[in-house]
Amino acid sequence: MGEEDRVILHGMWASTYVKRVELALKIKGIPFEYVEEDLSNKSALLLKYNPVQKKVPVLVHNGKPICESLVILEYIDETWPSHGLQLLPKDPYERARVRFWAAYIQQLLESMAKLFNPDHKEAQEKALEEMYEKQRILEEGMREFFPEESPNVHPEKLGILDIMIVSTLGAFRAQEEVLGVKTLDPEKNPLLFSWVEALIQLPVVKEIIPPFEKLVSLLQFIKQNGIRF
Amino acid sequence: MAASDVKLLGARPSPFVNRVQVALNLKSIDYEFIPQNLAEKSELLLKSNPVHKKVPVLIHGDQPISESLVIVHYVDEVWSGPPSLLPADPYDRATARFWAAYIDEKWSPLVRNLINATDEQSKAAAAEKVFEGLKLLEDAFVNSSKGKGFFGGEKLGFLDVVLGCYLGWVRAGEIITGLKILDETKTAALVGWAERFTSNKAVDGVIPEPEELVSFMKMQARAAAAADASSK
């Protein structure tokens, strides 16, 4: 490793999945080049690197592509083990718990995406119920991880769950602006709320959070036109 | 390791449960299989997997682990001696994990659509999609096996277990649809691989016979229809 390492991230500025990878690379202090992809007009390079899914993020390490955000996160952790922090704990049972909840947070994201579907009112109600229920389960689950009231968020101790939480919930204010409902309620989910608030204060997170107005415009556009990424 | 130290809450027809069984067998780990009635979930299951209330759940000592791919990783990491289930190289591991995600999230729903197709037209369309996916998996196999018999090379590995445990359902699907899903004229390498997987010692007795799965599916369909009828 060293001068020979060339790391390129193909992404899209608003993609939650891309943010996960950006954050992991920055947390581990891995230098990388970023290529913005136009998802309405996918580059030949993207299609070459990800012929199966044709999606971002794609991490290209010394010419070899890795796809799927959670797969990329584990790849980053395994390839640069001594760089900064370990994103996954060492103990196999703790690793299993982190992987379980990372997968659950992904399911939560999928519930949230349904809210931006411009369907009739009933589907919206149902989607909200589903999202709140998942948040409730997540809140309970995360209490196990944090015996104290709120997670102690340290730049030196960030891991996969921090990355998943901030990438999935960090833009809640922009979502609330567009949907006109609370997507992260401090009263229903005090632990998740305080965790997200602490994370979005971190300099490394501020570097990657999409600009508020720009994100609101995009979300409004998605909601009106029902575009799926 | 005493057998009572490792328990697996499962149900025989579940390919996800089968994955854990094969993984434990590959590692020569003794375990107690506790069959679950999924129509009437046990206290133990609800306590061990309160989030999803599903099988498989591995209980090691008193610690429950859920989600088949999470469990397989756990088994590989706790019992880290040979054989390794995940490849050694990080890039190969990422490739295996990528295909596992593809198989579970994209390909297996296509197979389900095919099995559930009601008319000839949708059946043909569904079959086309399944074959497209199999072509990708055929290429993945060729690249991953590097001339050897399994995705994992000389021996069964993670991706063999992930895809292989669907073979019972694939065979059941062939009976139900009357179509050849694994076809030597289309995906010869996978056909050879399927033979080798199914006849492997670690897989012996794990995956139910296709006829048993067909009966199981019909029973489930009847139960679902009855539930529908009574709720109307």
Side-chain angles (χ1 to χ4, degrees):
Chain A
M1 305 285 157
E3 289 96 303
E4 286 177 20
D5 260 352
R6 193 173 177 206
V7 180
I8 306 171
L9 173 60
H10 290 254
M12 185 266 174
W13 64 271
S15 162
T16 302
Y17 302 96
V18 172
K19 293 302 153 192
R20 292 170 185 171
V21 179
E22 265 189 89
L23 205 44
L25 290 166
K26 283 180 184 280
I27 288 169
K28 299 230 355 149
I30 298 158
F32 66 100
E33 299 160 49
Y34 178 83
V35 173
E36 178 73 17
E37 290 283 344
D38 175 0
L39 298 180
S40 62
N41 186 14
K42 291 172 183 177
S43 70
L45 206 52
L46 177 64
L47 297 176
K48 180 183 115 177
Y49 285 141
N50 191 358
V52 176
Q53 314 280 30
K54 306 177 176 55
K55 285 182 178 174
V56 289
V58 179
L59 189 76
V60 185
H61 183 204
N62 294 333
K64 287 157 85 170
I66 304 102
C67 309
E68 290 296 294
S69 65
L70 287 172
V71 175
I72 299 172
L73 292 187
E74 294 228 26
Y75 176 82
I76 289 171
D77 210 28
E78 289 170 2
T79 304
W80 291 277
S82 54
H83 248 264
L85 323 146
Q86 289 278 188
L87 299 177
L88 274 170
K90 284 199 163 45
D91 173 70
Y93 181 64
E94 292 307 317
R95 289 163 77 84
R97 288 173 78 202
V98 168
R99 285 175 174 138
F100 175 89
W101 286 107
Y104 194 77
I105 295 166
Q106 172 57 28
Q107 284 185 24
L108 171 60
L109 177 66
E110 286 159 17
S111 291
M112 288 163 65
K114 290 182 191 172
L115 295 173
F116 291 90
N117 205 310
D119 265 348
H120 56 84
K121 218 167 187 227
E122 263 167 56
Q124 188 79 331
E125 294 281 316
K126 197 166 169 240
L128 263 178
E129 280 309 310
E130 192 188 301
M131 186 193 74
Y132 287 144
E133 179 57 17
K134 289 205 157 75
Q135 282 183 337
R136 188 190 63 78
I137 290 174
L138 182 59
E139 175 90 8
E140 257 181 57
M142 292 300 96
R143 276 192 204 291
E144 280 178 53
F145 270 87
F146 304 108
E148 335 86 43
E149 258 315 293
S150 60
N152 231 338
V153 165
H154 275 303
E156 310 88 52
K157 288 190 189 154
L158 299 176
I160 295 228
L161 289 186
D162 300 282
I163 292 172
M164 291 299 287
I165 288 285
V166 78
S167 63
T168 304
L169 296 170
F172 73 95
R173 288 194 167 89
Q175 291 160 358
E176 289 179 357
E177 176 84 13
V178 172
L179 293 171
V181 285
K182 276 205 175 303
T183 56
L184 187 61
D185 189 334
E187 279 177 39
K188 286 184 182 155
N189 303 295
L191 186 147
L192 289 178
F193 189 86
S194 61
W195 192 0
V196 172
E197 289 280 73
L199 285 167
I200 60 182
Q201 301 308 322
L202 297 175
V204 70
V205 172
K206 285 186 177 175
E207 281 176 45
I208 60 112
I209 288 267
F212 183 80
E213 291 301 341
K214 202 175 167 194
L215 186 59
V216 166
S217 294
L218 178 67
L219 291 175
Q220 268 162 352
F221 182 77
I222 291 172
K223 186 162 191 295
Q224 271 149 33
N225 298 279
I227 288 162
R228 297 256 201 114
F229 278 86
Chain B
M1 180 76 54
S4 56
D5 225 7
V6 183
K7 296 179 172 67
L8 175 60
L9 307 185
R12 259 178 59 79
S14 162
F16 307 106
V17 170
N18 295 160
R19 286 173 178 175
V20 180
Q21 291 173 282
V22 175
L24 291 168
N25 288 347
L26 283 168
K27 297 275 193 178
S28 304
I29 295 160
D30 279 331
Y31 65 97
E32 186 191 345
F33 185 83
I34 307 179
Q36 299 296 303
N37 177 356
L38 298 178
E40 256 185 70
K41 294 175 181 179
S42 68
E43 277 296 307
L44 183 59
L45 177 60
L46 296 175
K47 190 185 88 172
S48 309
N49 189 0
V51 174
H52 298 297
K53 309 177 175 60
K54 284 181 175 174
V55 291
V57 181
L58 188 77
I59 306 179
H60 185 198
D62 54 9
Q63 291 180 328
I65 303 105
S66 307
E67 294 295 287
S68 68
L69 299 185
V70 175
I71 300 172
V72 174
H73 274 84
Y74 176 82
V75 168
D76 203 30
E77 289 168 10
V78 170
W79 293 281
S80 53
S84 274
L85 300 177
L86 273 285
D89 173 70
Y91 190 75
D92 293 339
R93 292 159 77 89
T95 303
R97 288 169 176 147
F98 171 86
W99 286 113
Y102 171 79
I103 288 162
D104 277 357
E105 290 162 29
K106 300 283 182 322
W107 186 73
S108 78
L110 298 177
V111 178
R112 218 175 305 134
N113 288 345
L114 172 58
I115 294 176
N116 293 330
T118 43
D119 60 273
E120 284 308 310
Q121 204 180 23
S122 50
K123 192 160 104 175
E128 206 33 60
K129 289 211 150 83
V130 169
F131 292 134
E132 275 168 27
L134 280 171
K135 181 73 182 62
L136 294 175
L137 293 172
E138 172 95 346
D139 290 342
F141 174 76
V142 170
N143 291 332
S144 182
S145 60
K146 301 180 174 65
K148 305 281 194 287
F150 299 103
F151 282 92
E154 297 267 5
K155 296 194 167 151
L156 261 74
F158 176 73
L159 202 46
D160 297 283
V161 173
V162 170
L163 184 59
C165 289
Y166 278 120
L167 286 171
W169 283 104
V170 167
R171 300 281 179 230
E174 288 178 335
I175 294 173
I176 291 168
T177 60
L179 288 173
K180 240 186 169 184
I181 297 176
L182 274 179
D183 186 337
E184 329 61 75
T185 66
K186 294 191 165 88
T187 53
L190 282 180
V191 170
W193 162 81
E195 261 303 295
R196 288 188 293 277
F197 179 84
T198 318
S199 54
N200 189 278
K201 208 178 85 170
V203 180
D204 200 25
V206 172
I207 301 175
E209 291 301 311
E211 292 78 15
E212 191 185 325
L213 293 173
V214 172
S215 300
F216 178 76
M217 267 196 67
K218 289 188 170 157
M219 202 177 68
Q220 276 207 311
R222 276 199 298 272
D228 262 352
S230 63
S231 64
K232 277 184 180 133

